[in-house]
PDB file of all heavy atoms in Angstrom:
ATOM      1  N   ASN E  60     104.695  -6.711  74.687  1.00  0.00           N
ATOM      2  CA  ASN E  60     104.328  -7.062  73.217  1.00  0.00           C
ATOM      3  C   ASN E  60     105.548  -7.466  72.455  1.00  0.00           C
ATOM      4  O   ASN E  60     105.741  -6.974  71.339  1.00  0.00           O
ATOM      5  CB  ASN E  60     103.643  -5.879  72.515  1.00  0.00           C
ATOM      6  CG  ASN E  60     102.255  -5.535  73.252  1.00  0.00           C
ATOM      7  OD1 ASN E  60     101.943  -6.285  74.148  1.00  0.00           O
ATOM      8  ND2 ASN E  60     101.669  -4.424  72.793  1.00  0.00           N
ATOM      9  N   ARG E  63     106.066 -12.201  67.546  1.00  0.00           N
ATOM     10  CA  ARG E  63     106.582 -12.573  66.271  1.00  0.00           C
ATOM     11  C   ARG E  63     105.430 -12.742  65.239  1.00  0.00           C
ATOM     12  O   ARG E  63     104.340 -13.102  65.463  1.00  0.00           O
ATOM     13  CB  ARG E  63     107.366 -13.919  66.269  1.00  0.00           C
ATOM     14  CG  ARG E  63     106.781 -15.062  67.119  1.00  0.00           C
ATOM     15  CD  ARG E  63     107.544 -16.308  67.011  1.00  0.00           C
ATOM     16  NE  ARG E  63     107.079 -16.950  65.777  1.00  0.00           N
ATOM     17  CZ  ARG E  63     106.008 -17.715  65.861  1.00  0.00           C
ATOM     18  NH1 ARG E  63     105.310 -18.003  66.908  1.00  0.00           N
ATOM     19  NH2 ARG E  63     105.633 -18.264  64.675  1.00  0.00           N
ATOM     20  N   ASP E  65     103.306 -14.382  62.256  1.00  0.00           N
ATOM     21  CA  ASP E  65     102.841 -15.820  62.084  1.00  0.00           C
ATOM     22  C   ASP E  65     103.449 -16.434  60.780  1.00  0.00           C
ATOM     23  O   ASP E  65     102.736 -16.547  59.783  1.00  0.00           O
ATOM     24  CB  ASP E  65     101.365 -15.908  61.928  1.00  0.00           C
ATOM     25  CG  ASP E  65     100.882 -17.359  61.863  1.00  0.00           C
ATOM     26  OD1 ASP E  65     101.597 -18.244  62.290  1.00  0.00           O
ATOM     27  OD2 ASP E  65      99.772 -17.536  61.396  1.00  0.00           O
ATOM     28  N   THR E  68     109.365 -20.426  60.283  1.00  0.00           N
ATOM     29  CA  THR E  68     110.829 -20.096  60.127  1.00  0.00           C
ATOM     30  C   THR E  68     111.725 -21.174  60.612  1.00  0.00           C
ATOM     31  O   THR E  68     112.925 -21.164  60.391  1.00  0.00           O
ATOM     32  CB  THR E  68     111.100 -18.904  61.086  1.00  0.00           C
ATOM     33  OG1 THR E  68     110.626 -19.233  62.382  1.00  0.00           O
ATOM     34  CG2 THR E  68     110.499 -17.668  60.611  1.00  0.00           C
ATOM     35  N   ARG E  73     113.770 -34.567  61.463  1.00  0.00           N
ATOM     36  CA  ARG E  73     113.454 -35.651  62.539  1.00  0.00           C
ATOM     37  C   ARG E  73     114.788 -36.282  62.934  1.00  0.00           C
ATOM     38  O   ARG E  73     115.065 -36.548  63.971  1.00  0.00           O
ATOM     39  CB  ARG E  73     112.626 -36.694  61.836  1.00  0.00           C
ATOM     40  CG  ARG E  73     112.105 -37.808  62.710  1.00  0.00           C
ATOM     41  CD  ARG E  73     111.568 -38.964  62.047  1.00  0.00           C
ATOM     42  NE  ARG E  73     110.399 -38.553  61.402  1.00  0.00           N
ATOM     43  CZ  ARG E  73     109.788 -39.123  60.308  1.00  0.00           C
ATOM     44  NH1 ARG E  73     110.526 -40.127  59.731  1.00  0.00           N
ATOM     45  NH2 ARG E  73     108.693 -38.812  59.708  1.00  0.00           N
ATOM     46  N   ASP E  84     112.714 -44.696  67.875  1.00  0.00           N
ATOM     47  CA  ASP E  84     112.562 -45.583  66.718  1.00  0.00           C
ATOM     48  C   ASP E  84     112.805 -44.708  65.495  1.00  0.00           C
ATOM     49  O   ASP E  84     113.173 -43.527  65.540  1.00  0.00           O
ATOM     50  CB  ASP E  84     111.299 -46.476  66.687  1.00  0.00           C
ATOM     51  CG  ASP E  84     110.096 -45.677  66.515  1.00  0.00           C
ATOM     52  OD1 ASP E  84     110.173 -44.465  66.314  1.00  0.00           O
ATOM     53  OD2 ASP E  84     108.985 -46.249  66.616  1.00  0.00           O
ATOM     54  N   ASN E  86     110.619 -43.121  63.854  1.00  0.00           N
ATOM     55  CA  ASN E  86     109.560 -41.916  63.768  1.00  0.00           C
ATOM     56  C   ASN E  86     109.624 -41.053  64.981  1.00  0.00           C
ATOM     57  O   ASN E  86     109.462 -39.914  64.787  1.00  0.00           O
ATOM     58  CB  ASN E  86     108.178 -42.521  63.569  1.00  0.00           C
ATOM     59  CG  ASN E  86     107.966 -42.962  62.164  1.00  0.00           C
ATOM     60  OD1 ASN E  86     108.345 -42.404  61.229  1.00  0.00           O
ATOM     61  ND2 ASN E  86     107.210 -44.076  62.005  1.00  0.00           N
ATOM     62  N   PHE E  88     110.229 -40.433  69.576  1.00  0.00           N
ATOM     63  CA  PHE E  88     110.913 -40.653  70.830  1.00  0.00           C
ATOM     64  C   PHE E  88     110.325 -41.828  71.601  1.00  0.00           C
ATOM     65  O   PHE E  88     109.084 -41.872  71.705  1.00  0.00           O
ATOM     66  CB  PHE E  88     110.840 -39.348  71.730  1.00  0.00           C
ATOM     67  CG  PHE E  88     111.363 -38.227  71.103  1.00  0.00           C
ATOM     68  CD1 PHE E  88     110.593 -37.408  70.286  1.00  0.00           C
ATOM     69  CD2 PHE E  88     112.728 -37.852  71.300  1.00  0.00           C
ATOM     70  CE1 PHE E  88     111.117 -36.185  69.722  1.00  0.00           C
ATOM     71  CE2 PHE E  88     113.197 -36.654  70.720  1.00  0.00           C
ATOM     72  CZ  PHE E  88     112.458 -35.883  69.905  1.00  0.00           C
ATOM     73  N   LYS E  92     106.653 -47.019  78.943  1.00  0.00           N
ATOM     74  CA  LYS E  92     105.169 -46.970  78.808  1.00  0.00           C
ATOM     75  C   LYS E  92     104.400 -46.149  79.806  1.00  0.00           C
ATOM     76  O   LYS E  92     104.582 -46.337  80.983  1.00  0.00           O
ATOM     77  CB  LYS E  92     104.665 -48.389  78.796  1.00  0.00           C
ATOM     78  CG  LYS E  92     103.221 -48.603  78.198  1.00  0.00           C
ATOM     79  CD  LYS E  92     103.185 -49.659  77.288  1.00  0.00           C
ATOM     80  CE  LYS E  92     101.923 -49.690  76.434  1.00  0.00           C
ATOM     81  NZ  LYS E  92     102.103 -50.471  75.177  1.00  0.00           N
TER      82      LYS E  92
ATOM     83  N   SER U  22     102.020 -20.992  61.870  1.00  0.00           N
ATOM     84  CA  SER U  22     103.048 -21.438  62.766  1.00  0.00           C
ATOM     85  C   SER U  22     102.579 -21.581  64.182  1.00  0.00           C
ATOM     86  O   SER U  22     101.350 -21.274  64.413  1.00  0.00           O
ATOM     87  CB  SER U  22     104.302 -20.465  62.735  1.00  0.00           C
ATOM     88  OG  SER U  22     103.838 -19.247  63.246  1.00  0.00           O
ATOM     89  N   SER U  35     104.049 -35.821  58.891  1.00  0.00           N
ATOM     90  CA  SER U  35     104.879 -36.952  59.164  1.00  0.00           C
ATOM     91  C   SER U  35     105.484 -36.721  60.585  1.00  0.00           C
ATOM     92  O   SER U  35     105.908 -35.619  60.897  1.00  0.00           O
ATOM     93  CB  SER U  35     105.971 -37.093  58.103  1.00  0.00           C
ATOM     94  OG  SER U  35     106.737 -38.181  58.275  1.00  0.00           O
ATOM     95  N   PRO U  36     105.478 -37.704  61.440  1.00  0.00           N
ATOM     96  CA  PRO U  36     105.853 -37.517  62.846  1.00  0.00           C
ATOM     97  C   PRO U  36     107.239 -36.906  63.007  1.00  0.00           C
ATOM     98  O   PRO U  36     108.117 -37.191  62.387  1.00  0.00           O
ATOM     99  CB  PRO U  36     105.917 -38.937  63.489  1.00  0.00           C
ATOM    100  CG  PRO U  36     105.210 -39.844  62.501  1.00  0.00           C
ATOM    101  CD  PRO U  36     105.124 -39.064  61.195  1.00  0.00           C
ATOM    102  N   ASN U  37     107.220 -35.942  64.024  1.00  0.00           N
ATOM    103  CA  ASN U  37     108.482 -35.231  64.385  1.00  0.00           C
ATOM    104  C   ASN U  37     109.181 -34.557  63.229  1.00  0.00           C
ATOM    105  O   ASN U  37     110.410 -34.745  63.076  1.00  0.00           O
ATOM    106  CB  ASN U  37     109.380 -36.157  65.049  1.00  0.00           C
ATOM    107  CG  ASN U  37     108.886 -36.620  66.482  1.00  0.00           C
ATOM    108  OD1 ASN U  37     108.606 -35.669  67.262  1.00  0.00           O
ATOM    109  ND2 ASN U  37     108.660 -37.951  66.690  1.00  0.00           N
ATOM    110  N   LEU U  54     105.803 -15.065  71.330  1.00  0.00           N
ATOM    111  CA  LEU U  54     104.365 -15.342  71.009  1.00  0.00           C
ATOM    112  C   LEU U  54     104.019 -14.834  69.611  1.00  0.00           C
ATOM    113  O   LEU U  54     104.402 -13.898  69.122  1.00  0.00           O
ATOM    114  CB  LEU U  54     103.588 -14.416  72.089  1.00  0.00           C
ATOM    115  CG  LEU U  54     101.990 -14.527  71.933  1.00  0.00           C
ATOM    116  CD1 LEU U  54     101.494 -15.938  72.196  1.00  0.00           C
ATOM    117  CD2 LEU U  54     101.355 -13.565  72.938  1.00  0.00           C
ATOM    118  N   HIS U 135     100.416 -45.326  72.519  1.00  0.00           N
ATOM    119  CA  HIS U 135     100.815 -46.310  73.559  1.00  0.00           C
ATOM    120  C   HIS U 135     100.801 -47.827  73.057  1.00  0.00           C
ATOM    121  O   HIS U 135     101.272 -48.709  73.755  1.00  0.00           O
ATOM    122  CB  HIS U 135      99.799 -46.290  74.734  1.00  0.00           C
ATOM    123  CG  HIS U 135      99.717 -44.862  75.289  1.00  0.00           C
ATOM    124  ND1 HIS U 135     100.718 -44.303  76.019  1.00  0.00           N
ATOM    125  CD2 HIS U 135      98.750 -43.935  75.250  1.00  0.00           C
ATOM    126  CE1 HIS U 135     100.388 -43.094  76.395  1.00  0.00           C
ATOM    127  NE2 HIS U 135      99.134 -42.924  75.886  1.00  0.00           N
ATOM    128  N   TYR U 138     104.458 -50.561  70.980  1.00  0.00           N
ATOM    129  CA  TYR U 138     105.445 -51.454  71.633  1.00  0.00           C
ATOM    130  C   TYR U 138     104.886 -51.930  72.982  1.00  0.00           C
ATOM    131  O   TYR U 138     104.109 -51.243  73.688  1.00  0.00           O
ATOM    132  CB  TYR U 138     106.727 -50.720  71.909  1.00  0.00           C
ATOM    133  CG  TYR U 138     107.351 -50.236  70.666  1.00  0.00           C
ATOM    134  CD1 TYR U 138     107.320 -48.885  70.265  1.00  0.00           C
ATOM    135  CD2 TYR U 138     108.120 -51.061  69.792  1.00  0.00           C
ATOM    136  CE1 TYR U 138     107.847 -48.397  69.076  1.00  0.00           C
ATOM    137  CE2 TYR U 138     108.719 -50.557  68.595  1.00  0.00           C
ATOM    138  CZ  TYR U 138     108.662 -49.265  68.263  1.00  0.00           C
ATOM    139  OH  TYR U 138     109.253 -48.834  67.130  1.00  0.00           O
ATOM    140  N   VAL U 144     106.504 -41.005  71.224  1.00  0.00           N
ATOM    141  CA  VAL U 144     106.057 -39.519  71.365  1.00  0.00           C
ATOM    142  C   VAL U 144     106.348 -38.848  69.988  1.00  0.00           C
ATOM    143  O   VAL U 144     107.456 -38.853  69.530  1.00  0.00           O
ATOM    144  CB  VAL U 144     106.870 -38.878  72.559  1.00  0.00           C
ATOM    145  CG1 VAL U 144     106.431 -37.387  72.560  1.00  0.00           C
ATOM    146  CG2 VAL U 144     106.466 -39.555  73.824  1.00  0.00           C
ATOM    147  N   ALA U 284     100.129  -6.124  76.092  1.00  0.00           N
ATOM    148  CA  ALA U 284      99.252  -5.048  76.405  1.00  0.00           C
ATOM    149  C   ALA U 284      98.406  -4.819  75.099  1.00  0.00           C
ATOM    150  O   ALA U 284      98.982  -4.658  73.986  1.00  0.00           O
ATOM    151  CB  ALA U 284     100.074  -3.716  76.668  1.00  0.00           C
TER     152      ALA U 284
END
Side-chain angles (χ1 to χ4, degrees):
Chain E
N60 299 353
R63 38 171 279 274
D65 181 27
T68 54
R73 182 194 295 153
D84 66 6
N86 283 320
F88 302 89
K92 195 132 192 159
Chain U
S22 65
S35 183
N37 290 305
L54 178 60
H135 304 291
Y138 300 99
V144 178

